[in-house]
């Protein structure tokens, strides 16, 4: 039987080959792909928590992220295929201009995909103009913005201001997150939601689109 706890552990310990092998075995054995995804993400969540407590350092975070990605490469096509015949809500996700951190953003992306969203990932260091242009041309319902630097969190407000300037603020929900972001900051810039973690972000986004 698929051992989900072992999958979580392989990410926690940064065992990339183990993560790939265990994930492959789990899906071949017919495990629920969303449960496999949760097991992978849960490994990375605990790595994030341990990092926040200074129990581990950047290299370990990056090694775990590599293991996570090996597992995600296997489940992603299955999750996308499982939603292929449904009318999917559309969401943009990216890290704001000037900011290159993408580990948390990628976790949020996977949770959004798991929640049934068609996700447009614009990557990192994305200017407000590109986000707003894409939101309009792709008719998205949700924009999820990530920032990890105190120097880039202000770029989230640029996105909200530009949406207002273009007259489309009312037609899209803007969600924000990342280590320096707080509910108070989200309120201050007029975001629709702040989420502390990827799983909560996906739940909130889903509630927005009904
Ligand atoms: Co950087 N970095 N970094 N970094 N880095 C931080 C953020 C820092 C706090 C480290 C420190 O000094 N203690 C610090 C910022 C200080 C500040 O702003 N006050 C910092 C700095 C200073 C820098 C550089 C400037 C360092 C330098 O070059 N001098 C530089 C900046 C580069 C740039 O962006 N322009 C830099 C570079 C890097 C690396 C490239 C080495 C690497 C990034 C690799 C990558 O992302 N591909 C890196 C890393 C790994 C970190 C830390 C160590 C870990 C971040 C991480 O991935 N955490 C980080 C320290 C920290 O955060 N405490 C740090 C794990 C991840 C799972 O958590 O991203 O918080 P997180 O995501 C969470 C939640 O926040 C939430 O969900 C996730 C969990 O479920 N979430 C969202 C995230 N985005 C969301 C969006 C949402 C909702 C929820 O939308 C709705």
């Amino acid at each position: 039987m698929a051992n989900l706890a072992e999958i979580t552990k392989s990410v926690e310990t940064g065992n990339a080959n183990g993560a790939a092998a265990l994930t492959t075995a789990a899906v071949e054995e017919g495990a629920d792909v969303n449960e496999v995804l949760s097991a992978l993400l849960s490994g990375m969540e605990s790595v994030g928590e341990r990092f926040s407590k200074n129990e581990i350092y950047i290299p370990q975070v990056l090694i775990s992220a590599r293991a996570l990605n090996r597992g995600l490469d296997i489940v992603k096509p299955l999750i996308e295929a499982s939603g292929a015949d449904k009318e999917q809500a559309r969401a943009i996700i990216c890290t704001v201009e000037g900011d290159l951190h993408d580990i948390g953003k990628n976790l949020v992306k996977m949770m959004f995909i798991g929640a049934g969203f068609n996700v447009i990932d614009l990557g990192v260091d994305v200017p407000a103009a590109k986000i707003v242009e894409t939101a309009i041309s792709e008719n998205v319902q949700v924009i999820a913005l990530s920032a990890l630097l105190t120097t880039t969190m202000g770029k989230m407000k640029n996105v909200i201001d530009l949406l207002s300037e273009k007259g489309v603020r009312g037609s899209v929900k803007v969600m924000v997150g990342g280590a320096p972001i707080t509910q108070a900051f989200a309120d201050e810039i007029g975001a629709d939601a702040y989420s502390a973690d990827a799983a909560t972000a996906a739940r909130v986004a889903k509630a927005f689109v009904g």
Side-chain angles (χ1 to χ4, degrees):
M1 258 318 269
N3 191 333
L4 298 176
E6 284 296 315
I7 292 178
T8 301
K9 196 169 158 205
S10 68
V11 175
E12 284 169 351
T13 56
N15 177 0
N17 288 337
L22 289 161
T23 303
T24 301
V27 296
E28 281 177 2
E29 285 169 21
D32 180 330
V33 74
N34 283 309
E35 283 181 14
V36 178
L37 172 63
S38 293
L40 288 163
L41 293 182
S42 145
M44 200 62 211
E45 300 264 352
S46 80
V47 168
E49 279 163 26
R50 291 181 63 212
F51 181 83
S52 305
K53 295 183 199 154
N54 292 323
E55 290 172 6
I56 54 169
Y57 300 98
I58 293 177
Q60 284 119 310
V61 175
L62 296 179
I63 290 167
S64 284
R66 191 180 55 186
L68 170 74
N69 285 328
R70 290 283 300 280
L72 291 183
D73 285 345
I74 295 157
V75 292
K76 189 175 170 224
L78 302 170
I79 287 170
E80 286 174 346
S82 70
D85 54 344
K86 294 182 211 147
E87 181 65 25
Q88 290 179 300
R90 295 161 84 79
I92 287 175
I93 184 153
C94 64
T95 305
V96 295
E97 187 171 14
D99 201 322
L100 302 175
H101 296 85
D102 67 357
I103 297 172
K105 185 266 293 176
N106 290 338
L107 290 183
V108 177
K109 175 184 173 182
M110 286 314 300
M111 292 304 284
F112 270 46
I113 291 172
F117 277 87
N118 178 350
V119 179
I120 302 165
D121 182 356
L122 295 179
V124 297
D125 189 16
V126 188
K130 184 170 180 191
I131 298 167
V132 173
E133 274 162 29
T134 310
I136 294 168
S137 65
E138 299 294 328
N139 194 23
V140 306
Q141 289 101 318
V142 174
I143 299 175
L145 301 173
S146 182
L148 267 284
L149 299 171
T150 47
T151 49
T152 58
M153 51 197 275
K155 300 288 181 184
M156 293 173 157
K157 183 169 187 309
N158 296 359
V159 176
I160 293 172
D161 290 347
L162 191 55
L163 286 167
S164 301
E165 218 176 287
K166 299 278 180 191
V168 293
R169 177 68 187 94
S171 59
V172 62
K173 298 290 185 190
V174 179
M175 302 178 57
V176 293
I181 310 302
T182 59
Q183 182 64 56
F185 176 75
D187 294 342
E188 186 187 316
I189 65 170
D192 297 295
Y194 157 71
S195 307
D197 60 74
T200 310
R203 272 198 301 277
V204 171
K206 209 167 177 190
F208 277 142
V209 300

